[in-house]
Amino acid sequence: MKGKAGSMLHEKQKQEGHIWGSMRRTAFILGSGLLLLVAFWNSVTWHLQRFWGASGYFWQAQWERLLSTFEGKEWILYIIGATQVPSLLFWSFNGLLLVVDTTGKPNFISRYRIQVGKNEPVDPVKLHQSIRTVLFNQHFITCPVLVVLYPILRLWGDPCRRELPTFHWFLLELAFFTLTEEVMFYYSHRLLHHPTFYKKIHKKHHEWTAPIGVISLYAHPIEHVASNMLPAMVGPIIMGSHLSSITVWHSLALITTTISHCGYHLPFLPSPEFHDYHHLKFNQCYGVLGVLDHLHGTDTVFKQTKAYERHILLLGFTPLSESIPDPPKKTE
């Protein structure tokens, strides 16, 4: 019995030794990686901060000129920065994409289509209906909601305050906005796929199984507020962000969601394969970054597809649908 007990004790100590050794190796690798990341980050941000600092006086002067122009009417400046500037960029980008969607030209863009054979060309009746809904959401939902949020933003910090944020602070805000959007969009999006809400609310957005850029804002008004607007606005509200940060963030969010829906896997732009697959299959890939999909296992089917292999940044000019084609369909 003593020999058996000693053997078990020895085995337990051996296992503990393996665990501690593994933990030490993990800590060493993570620590080394973190030090390298911090060194690289400090180097990059130092150079960017120099550029920001050199141009900072110029932007500060322009901002103060705007403040003097809208003195006493800062809420108008807020509406322009939070809604009109991002909307202008949204329609400028989508205007270019709509030319390709409706004409199939130029070929050097249309050849990057993800779902080959779909929207070639796009249905004009369906497109016009979608554009009307997007315009309604932008003008009659987004603007009033942001007007209501203005006094809430001012409780944490006046978005039109005189001093612009530093470059480092803006980077911190951007990271926080991104994480907040990922969490809020993922869970609100999954909730909208519950049968109770899907049929009455979210089904409208999923009318497009092969999405195009402009339908990124094609949604029921309730969805537009709960799943499009709030995930993008909660971050700036919590951080008490400056209008300049809000303008840049909203613009980036609209351009990013346009790319996710555009239907083309274009060179040097983020991959839209993840969300395109969601529109195709409905029950996979709910998030923006994919972090929560990985944690909740809502991307397991996606990871078994060729679309997952193509879900990379395209650094060449050969379409990934050619270099990583779908397997041939089985014939009966």
Side-chain angles (χ1 to χ4, degrees):
M1 289 291 291
K2 287 184 178 180
K4 187 176 181 180
S7 177
M8 290 176 66
L9 179 62
H10 176 72
E11 186 65 28
K12 185 178 179 181
Q13 290 174 342
K14 185 177 179 182
Q15 288 178 357
E16 290 177 349
H18 282 309
I19 292 170
W20 282 110
S22 178
M23 289 177 66
R24 283 196 296 269
R25 286 193 297 273
T26 302
F28 175 76
I29 292 169
L30 290 177
S32 301
L34 184 61
L35 285 174
L36 289 172
L37 179 63
V38 169
F40 174 75
W41 179 257
N42 285 340
S43 175
V44 170
T45 54
W46 182 79
H47 288 290
L48 290 173
Q49 183 69 39
R50 286 188 64 190
F51 168 77
W52 186 278
S55 60
Y57 295 111
F58 170 79
W59 293 114
Q60 184 67 45
Q62 304 312 306
W63 172 245
E64 290 182 4
R65 185 179 299 176
L66 277 174
L67 283 178
S68 63
T69 301
F70 289 91
E71 188 174 2
K73 298 178 179 178
E74 287 83 2
W75 67 272
I76 298 177
L77 184 60
Y78 162 77
I79 292 297
I80 293 172
T83 66
Q84 302 309 302
V85 172
S87 291
L88 178 62
L89 292 172
F90 174 84
W91 284 110
S92 298
F93 187 30
N94 275 287
L96 296 174
L97 291 172
L98 283 170
V99 171
V100 187
D101 293 330
T102 54
T103 67
K105 297 177 182 178
N107 182 61
F108 70 82
I109 293 180
S110 62
R111 66 196 291 256
Y112 294 101
R113 190 182 301 278
I114 295 172
Q115 296 188 43
V116 179
K118 303 284 185 69
N119 296 328
E120 295 182 5
V122 69
D123 181 351
V125 175
K126 191 177 178 181
L127 175 61
H128 292 156
Q129 176 193 352
S130 298
I131 289 176
R132 284 196 298 270
T133 299
V134 170
L135 289 171
F136 176 85
N137 284 340
Q138 287 183 314
H139 292 97
F140 296 101
I141 304 295
T142 299
C143 287
V145 169
L146 286 175
V147 168
V148 170
L149 288 176
Y150 181 58
I152 298 174
L153 276 165
R154 294 194 66 181
L155 291 174
W156 292 91
D158 186 358
C160 296
R161 54 187 175 273
R162 185 163 297 278
E163 187 176 351
L164 289 173
T166 65
F167 180 70
H168 283 87
W169 179 253
F170 172 69
L171 288 181
L172 176 65
E173 286 185 310
L174 197 58
F176 183 74
F177 298 163
T178 303
L179 291 174
T180 305
E181 184 189 39
E182 168 71 5
V183 172
M184 293 198 65
F185 180 77
Y186 178 86
Y187 291 112
S188 64
H189 191 189
R190 281 202 72 176
L191 184 63
L192 287 170
H193 273 264
H194 188 279
T196 305
F197 303 109
Y198 182 82
K199 187 175 181 180
K200 295 181 179 179
I201 299 175
H202 193 48
K203 188 176 180 180
K204 185 180 185 72
H205 185 68
H206 273 284
E207 290 171 6
W208 292 81
T209 55
I212 60 174
V214 75
I215 69 106
S216 53
L217 299 183
Y218 176 67
H220 187 284
I222 293 176
E223 177 182 353
H224 184 61
V225 174
S227 202
N228 290 343
M229 291 191 65
L230 287 182
M233 276 305 300
V234 167
I237 290 172
I238 292 174
M239 298 293 282
S241 297
H242 192 277
L243 179 59
S244 58
S245 298
I246 296 172
T247 302
V248 174
W249 166 239
H250 282 187
S251 301
L252 284 174
L254 285 177
I255 294 300
T256 302
T257 191
T258 295
I259 293 172
S260 296
H261 287 86
C262 74
Y264 304 100
H265 194 146
L266 299 168
F268 312 111
L269 289 180
S271 166
E273 300 279 354
F274 189 77
H275 196 70
D276 196 277
Y277 190 81
H278 173 75
H279 274 262
L280 182 65
K281 298 298 182 181
F282 293 13
N283 61 352
Q284 290 279 297
C285 310
Y286 295 98
V288 179
L289 302 175
V291 176
L292 289 173
D293 283 282
H294 176 73
L295 292 176
H296 289 290
T298 49
D299 61 354
T300 52
V301 176
F302 173 66
K303 288 178 176 178
Q304 298 169 20
T305 67
K306 288 292 183 180
Y308 176 68
E309 294 181 34
R310 293 191 291 264
H311 187 44
I312 56 174
L313 180 67
L314 177 56
L315 297 176
F317 295 100
T318 301
L320 287 170
S321 58
E322 295 178 10
S323 58
I324 311 175
D326 287 322
K329 292 182 180 179
K330 295 179 180 180
T331 55
E332 294 183 2

